[in-house]
Amino acid sequence: EELTVIRKFEHIEHCLKKQVEAHVSTQFENIHFVHTSLPEIDKEEIDLSIEFLGRRFDYPIMIAGMTGGTKGSQIAGKINKTLAKAAQELNIPMGVGSQRAMIRKPETWESYYVRDVAPDIFLVGNLGAPQFAENMPNRYGVEEALKAVETIQADALAIHMNPLQESVQPEGDTQYKGVINALAELKSELSYPIIAKETGAGVSMEVAIKLESIGIDAIDVGGLGGTSWSGVEYYRAKDERSRNLALKFWDWGIPTALSVAEVRYATTLPIIATGGIRDGIAIAKALTLGANLAGVALPLLKPAVNGDVEGVIKILQRYIDELKNAMFLVGARNVEELKKVPLVVTGFAREWLEQRIDLWEFLKDRR
Ligand code: FNR
């Protein structure tokens, strides 16, 4: 019973102290803007606001879900409240980490609760896809989903898809059979929007098409190039055999930039580009590739653990400055205009996308 809570604490520890990021890139370095010498706009008129799932946000950035449930140390509650204060100040959405611990131990609910400090933010709850699988004992259904959302007064529910992490974790939940059907059923019963969310290995167009067909409201591609959950599990592994498996799959997945392109090519679903977003230029490229907003997790963990709201805002403000500057240099007055500027795709990204989508058609749509 305590396992979930301890595991979440170990994850935070390793994410703070160890190198847990992928050794390969998001591929945003192979996506290029074409510089505009005559932007024909004033930098100060640039509007970064966007609409997503019926709500308006000041910036196309989301704080991705990380934690909750570590009651004893109060660490999760502090992290979530710190992130929430920053989200409230910037008027951007935020997710909490997996609420599995809360479903098992309802008394941990406060570590996810942020409405007292963030009354207005768009808040996203979080449960794991394997919990809904056919062969999961005590599998979740609409009751658990409702509890996750309503206990913390969230606006939407993220269902995280993490087969990579579960597969390299000795105690992992590797039953994924029947998840699509369960999500379809959940979608028909739950009145809150559902976001299907990867956690660092990316979403392919095939999976995105399935998710769109069952009515899922948005996809967070959670692509490769940032936090590697196989990497995190490598540090948690207790023996040679598990260490080897985690190491081999450290860099498994679909790079974030390519996942955004695939999902945008194949569906009209709103997209959150998460995974290795480390500056505002990458955010600008993600938006031009078709994302509606970008998500950030790991860089915000350190200031959040220290309760440093200003530290969280400072990082996000830097991203915002860089995003705005990139928009100025391609002459985009707002995010709608940014979506139409030309891109050049080179190297590995080009090779991948040429084999997966009609790249030229896709790029032509963007100007
Ligand atoms: C996460 N992430 C995550 N995702 C999720 O859906 N449920 C969860 O409980 C967690 N927990 C969690 C803890 C910590 C410490 C980190 C850093 C991340 C995944 C996160 O939302 C995101 O998808 C990935 O971390 C990729 O983004 P970054 O970290 O590369 O910006």
Side-chain angles (χ1 to χ4, degrees):
E1 283 296 293
E2 287 290 339
L3 203 63
T4 319
V5 172
I6 293 166
R7 186 163 55 207
K8 291 301 287 181
F9 183 69
E10 286 182 4
H11 288 155
I12 292 170
E13 279 260 299
H14 292 313
C15 284
L16 283 171
K17 293 180 182 156
K18 302 269 181 22
Q19 198 299 104
V20 295
E21 295 189 278
H23 311 110
V24 297
S25 82
T26 55
Q27 288 299 317
F28 281 115
E29 79 282 7
N30 272 320
I31 311 291
H32 309 269
F33 283 120
V34 181
H35 172 65
T36 305
S37 308
L38 293 170
E40 282 296 328
I41 60 169
D42 298 341
K43 190 176 167 187
E44 66 207 50
E45 73 178 307
I46 293 172
D47 174 12
L48 294 169
S49 72
I50 53 136
E51 210 189 291
F52 176 73
L53 296 179
R55 288 274 290 268
R56 189 121 210 129
F57 307 117
D58 287 358
Y59 306 102
I61 303 177
M62 168 169 187
I63 299 178
M66 281 186 273
T67 195
T70 60
K71 192 170 186 279
S73 62
Q74 301 297 350
I75 205 173
K78 187 175 179 183
I79 293 171
N80 280 334
K81 285 221 192 334
T82 305
L83 295 171
K85 285 177 193 167
Q88 173 77 22
E89 176 138 346
L90 293 170
N91 183 27
I92 57 171
M94 158 183 170
V96 296
S98 174
Q99 289 173 273
R100 186 181 181 187
M102 194 196 89
I103 299 293
R104 285 192 184 181
K105 297 179 146 254
E107 68 273 21
T108 65
W109 71 277
E110 278 183 294
S111 64
Y112 301 90
Y113 188 78
V114 297
R115 276 294 175 220
D116 50 337
V117 296
D120 307 309
I121 63 167
F122 186 88
L123 184 65
V124 183
N126 190 302
L127 290 175
Q131 265 57 59
F132 293 84
E134 217 170 280
N135 294 323
M136 184 55 136
N138 308 314
R139 67 192 289 208
Y140 290 0
V142 69
E143 191 188 321
E144 286 78 10
L146 262 181
K147 192 180 275 182
V149 172
E150 292 184 341
T151 307
I152 63 167
Q153 295 164 34
D155 301 287
L157 180 67
I159 302 289
H160 68 256
M161 308 177 282
N162 66 342
L164 171 62
Q165 179 184 17
E166 303 287 359
S167 69
V168 299
Q169 191 173 275
E171 74 278 21
D173 294 321
T174 46
Q175 55 282 72
Y176 257 80
K177 199 191 292 175
V179 169
I180 294 264
N181 282 341
L183 291 184
E185 205 177 300
L186 183 63
K187 186 55 217 168
S188 69
E189 293 170 21
L190 192 74
S191 56
Y192 295 90
I194 298 177
I195 302 170
K197 172 184 190 302
E198 244 290 349
T199 51
V203 175
S204 68
M205 67 174 139
E206 290 84 354
V207 168
I209 289 168
K210 280 189 193 153
L211 291 168
E212 184 173 49
S213 77
I214 61 167
I216 292 299
D217 298 274
I219 292 181
D220 182 332
V221 302
L224 172 65
T227 305
S228 162
W229 282 96
S230 198
V232 177
E233 293 301 336
Y234 169 81
Y235 296 111
R236 286 188 65 239
K238 300 280 180 283
D239 56 54
E240 185 62 38
R241 191 174 164 192
S242 341
R243 240 189 319 276
N244 168 68
L245 193 63
L247 185 59
K248 286 284 188 240
F249 286 84
W250 192 299
D251 296 319
W252 176 275
I254 307 168
T256 302
L258 310 184
S259 183
V260 170
E262 288 207 5
V263 177
R264 176 46 68 240
Y265 178 78
T267 76
T268 59
L269 286 173
I271 297 172
I272 306 170
T274 309
I277 297 291
R278 300 294 178 260
D279 63 56
I281 302 176
I283 296 175
K285 290 174 178 177
L287 297 173
T288 305
L289 282 173
N292 297 63
L293 61 164
V296 187
L298 189 64
L300 307 179
L301 184 63
K302 202 167 270 177
V305 165
N306 295 324
D308 181 5
V309 180
E310 286 315 309
V312 173
I313 292 175
K314 191 175 161 194
I315 293 169
L316 294 172
Q317 192 59 58
R318 172 168 74 78
Y319 295 177
I320 291 165
D321 289 347
E322 293 160 351
L323 167 62
K324 194 170 184 177
N325 212 54
M327 287 172 73
F328 177 60
L329 296 177
V330 294
R333 235 177 318 238
N334 52 48
V335 174
E336 277 316 300
E337 289 187 7
L338 179 61
K339 287 181 182 304
K340 297 188 190 97
V341 307
L343 288 174
V344 175
V345 180
T346 60
F348 178 82
R350 175 178 170 175
E351 284 181 33
W352 177 290
L353 290 176
E354 277 184 344
Q355 290 174 48
R356 294 283 295 164
I357 68 175
D358 185 341
L359 181 58
W360 308 118
E361 192 61 36
F362 182 74
L363 291 174
K364 208 165 72 194
D365 286 349
R366 243 127 280 274
R367 54 191 115 156

